[in-house]
Amino acid sequence: MILNKIYVDNIIKTALLEDINYCDVTTDYLIPPEQEGSGRFVSKADGIVCGTEVAVRVFQLIDDSIKYEILKNDGDEVHKGDEILKLSGKTAALLKGERTALNLIQHMSGIATASNKYQKIVEGTKASIADTRKTLPGLRPLQKYAVMTGGAKNHRYNLSDAAMLKDNHIDAAGGITSAITKLRSRIGHMTKIEVETRNLDELKEALEAGADIIMLDNMSPELMKQAVEITNGRALLEASGGITDETLRAVAESGVDIISIGALTHSVKAFDISMYVK
């Protein structure tokens, strides 16, 4: 996945305007505009780094004369004390961009680290880890890029990518069979249909109606095993809901194809990185 630079620039500009507004009272009144300095981004934990070029771009948008050296690329494993990148240029620009750059790289690295952790837990099974649409408004491309950087996969990018029948859609359309039938009559041949199911009866109905992907919502690993046997390869099976670090391996070993985890993006812990300016 390659990030769209126009999108990244717009995100950064929005963040900088939010943070600086019309001036940086501390920096603008304290630091001479001609003063030169340097900065270092240093990892304070072990994990997967992500967002190095995004962080650099923050400083470049403030001052295009900023020079940099990336020491750890996105996807690299880092350890506590490792230098991630170096910057040099106007001290004022380094100070103004510090918080915004850290916010972005810490958040993206946290997602990449969590994604890598979960993907390692399911190694040796057929299951892959995927994110969801439970992303922070405006940051979805950065978050989904970070998920892939960590070794996991992306679910739908947005509502235009595929048809996904959640319980509310199903209830509003008069049931699983009715909903799938109506969709099939209108969507193009490239569009897949996923159906959320809460029990084995709904699974069987979704299979008979021709669902391409079936979500097993909040089912136990034991129930998922039965779902795998019933499905017998007729549709992809996605496990979702209530999955923890402790249950993840058992879910993967049930034989499902995909395990979607909303926590990868909606509640991930920021990765600890510090910036040192002198």
Side-chain angles (χ1 to χ4, degrees):
M1 182 177 181
I2 299 174
L3 285 171
N4 184 316
K5 291 184 179 180
I6 297 173
Y7 166 81
V8 173
D9 281 2
N10 285 338
I11 283 292
I12 293 171
K13 288 175 182 178
T14 299
L16 287 172
L17 286 172
E18 180 180 65
D19 202 34
I20 299 176
N21 199 338
Y22 61 90
C23 77
D24 175 350
V25 174
T26 310
T27 300
D28 288 336
Y29 294 147
L30 180 66
I31 305 299
E34 70 278 3
Q35 183 174 323
E36 297 279 334
S38 63
R40 298 182 301 123
F41 275 57
V42 178
S43 175
K44 305 298 289 292
D46 299 340
I48 305 297
V49 70
C50 182
T52 52
E53 292 188 9
V54 173
V56 166
R57 189 62 179 153
V58 171
F59 299 99
Q60 290 180 323
L61 286 174
I62 295 173
D63 183 348
D64 60 11
S65 69
I66 290 289
K67 294 180 175 57
Y68 68 92
E69 179 184 5
I70 293 176
L71 304 174
K72 298 291 184 180
N73 294 308
D74 288 357
D76 284 351
E77 185 175 342
V78 295
H79 301 283
K80 184 176 181 179
D82 285 352
E83 284 193 343
I84 296 170
L85 65 91
K86 294 180 179 180
L87 302 152
S88 62
K90 301 298 183 184
T91 302
L94 297 176
L95 293 171
K96 289 180 180 182
E98 176 183 358
R99 185 68 268 156
T100 297
L102 283 173
N103 284 347
L104 292 170
I105 194 172
Q106 286 180 321
H107 183 60
M108 294 174 71
S109 295
I111 292 172
T113 298
S115 299
N116 184 258
K117 169 188 171 183
Y118 291 139
Q119 191 59 47
K120 285 182 176 178
I121 291 175
V122 304
E123 277 183 357
T125 71
K126 66 182 292 189
S128 60
I129 301 297
D131 55 26
T132 70
R133 283 173 44 247
K134 296 176 182 178
T135 55
L136 298 178
L139 292 180
R140 183 171 295 173
L142 294 184
Q143 292 185 305
K144 285 187 171 286
Y145 168 80
V147 166
M148 292 190 69
T149 298
K153 295 182 179 180
N154 294 153
H155 205 288
R156 284 191 301 175
Y157 186 84
N158 58 38
L159 294 172
S160 301
D161 285 343
M164 187 169 177
L165 295 166
K166 306 283 282 185
D167 53 359
N168 286 332
H169 294 100
I170 292 167
D171 292 343
I176 290 174
T177 302
S178 174
I180 293 178
T181 301
K182 289 177 183 177
L183 276 174
R184 284 287 182 216
S185 69
R186 304 195 68 181
I187 60 175
H189 68 285
M190 296 292 288
T191 305
K192 292 185 177 182
I193 297 176
E194 178 168 5
V195 180
E196 178 183 88
T197 62
R198 295 159 288 191
N199 54 57
L200 296 182
D201 287 336
E202 290 183 349
L203 167 77
K204 293 174 183 176
E205 183 179 356
L207 283 170
E208 290 301 316
D212 301 297
I213 307 135
I214 299 175
M215 177 188 290
L216 309 176
D217 185 43
N218 282 291
M219 292 189 189
S220 67
E222 293 73 27
L223 207 57
M224 289 179 193
K225 286 182 181 179
Q226 295 181 51
V228 170
E229 293 175 0
I230 292 168
T231 302
N232 193 29
R234 288 181 286 169
L236 291 175
L237 293 180
E238 174 187 337
S240 185
I243 299 168
T244 66
D245 291 8
E246 291 72 29
T247 62
L248 180 56
R249 182 70 190 186
V251 170
E253 290 177 344
S254 72
V256 297
D257 302 286
I258 306 141
I259 303 172
S260 57
I261 302 176
L264 284 178
T265 52
H266 71 61
S267 59
V268 71
K269 180 181 178 182
F271 189 76
D272 196 0
I273 299 172
S274 291
M275 178 181 175
Y276 300 101
V277 177
K278 64 177 182 179

